[in-house]
Amino acid sequence: MIIAIDGSTASGKGTLAKRVAARFGLPHMDTGLLYRATGAAAINAGVNLANEAACAQIAQNLDLDRFDPATLRTAAVGQAASKVAALPAVREALLNLQREFAGRPSGAVLDGRDIGTVICPDADIKLWIDADLDVRAQRRAAELTQMGASISAEDMARQLRERDARDKGRDVAPMKPAEDAVLLDTTHLSIEDMVSRAIEIIQAALKPSQTTDNP
């Protein structure tokens, strides 16, 4: 069983994907970390984020174990990730890695922005997670504050607006819901409500023999 969870930044898709993976006993990949690590590595190496060939080379030799997960969650790395993700050669370099993960015999849960449209167009379940921009900005600013950063919700909203426009407007694999994705608006949902609703959607879409009743 492959579950594709796509959506915008700070919509809750990452948290949801982890909880869904645990609920159904499936491995989970946060594909955004691949682009964040590529962007971070490019910055560390002094590579111009518009240098497609150099960034693709970094992506081809990516080793996530070399990165501190906390450093990949900063706003600066997020902006870098959005820029390198717009480069076709970078996306191509990371394509097989994501598909191989999804192709495990057990299945998998992957979250990102193009899982249901490009990486796993034949996924068993496709969810699109979104929330109002101001709510997403408040969530992301609070998350960064907990990590020791200092950014206002207003500045975060501006950054998210720019990133949304860049992700939606890129020529290759633009951020958009798959035609057969189920939309889940988390603007007014708590984490528990979001997870419960998603599990209901997944169970309703699966045949009874496919469900896994983990405690």
Side-chain angles (χ1 to χ4, degrees), residues 176-191:
K176 63 179 181 179
E179 292 184 0
D180 53 347
V182 178
L183 308 184
L184 179 57
D185 187 332
T186 67
T187 301
H188 304 295
L189 297 180
S190 66
I191 292 176

Side-chain angles (χ1 to χ4, degrees), residues 7-13 36 78 82 112-113 129-133 135-137 139-140 143 156 160 163-164 167 175:
S8 54
T9 300
S11 60
K13 68 179 184 298
R36 284 178 174 269
S82 181
R113 288 169 175 74
I129 315 303
D130 209 348
D132 290 344
L133 177 67
V135 172
R136 292 193 287 126
R139 291 173 180 172
R140 185 65 174 135
E143 180 184 359
M156 193 69 248
L160 290 180
R163 180 165 187 181
D164 286 349
D167 291 348
M175 181 179 74

Side-chain angles (χ1 to χ4, degrees), residues 155-174:
D155 286 342
M156 193 69 248
R158 175 182 55 78
Q159 291 187 17
L160 290 180
R161 190 176 294 108
E162 292 173 354
R163 180 165 187 181
D164 286 349
R166 185 162 53 240
D167 291 348
K168 291 177 180 178
R170 65 190 180 216
D171 293 332
V172 179

Side-chain angles (χ1 to χ4, degrees), residues 17 27-32 34 64 97-98 101 108-112 115:
H28 165 242
M29 173 180 275
D30 176 354
T31 64
L34 302 178
L64 285 178
L97 177 63
Q98 297 172 77
F101 186 90
V109 177
L110 294 87
D111 73 88
I115 309 303

Side-chain angles (χ1 to χ4, degrees), residues 184-215:
L184 179 57
D185 187 332
T186 67
T187 301
H188 304 295
L189 297 180
S190 66
I191 292 176
E192 294 302 325
D193 288 341
M194 171 183 69
V195 173
S196 294
R197 178 58 183 139
I199 290 175
E200 289 176 359
I201 293 171
I202 293 169
Q203 290 181 322
L206 293 174
K207 295 179 181 178
S209 60
Q210 289 180 281
T211 57
T212 303
D213 201 9
N214 292 338

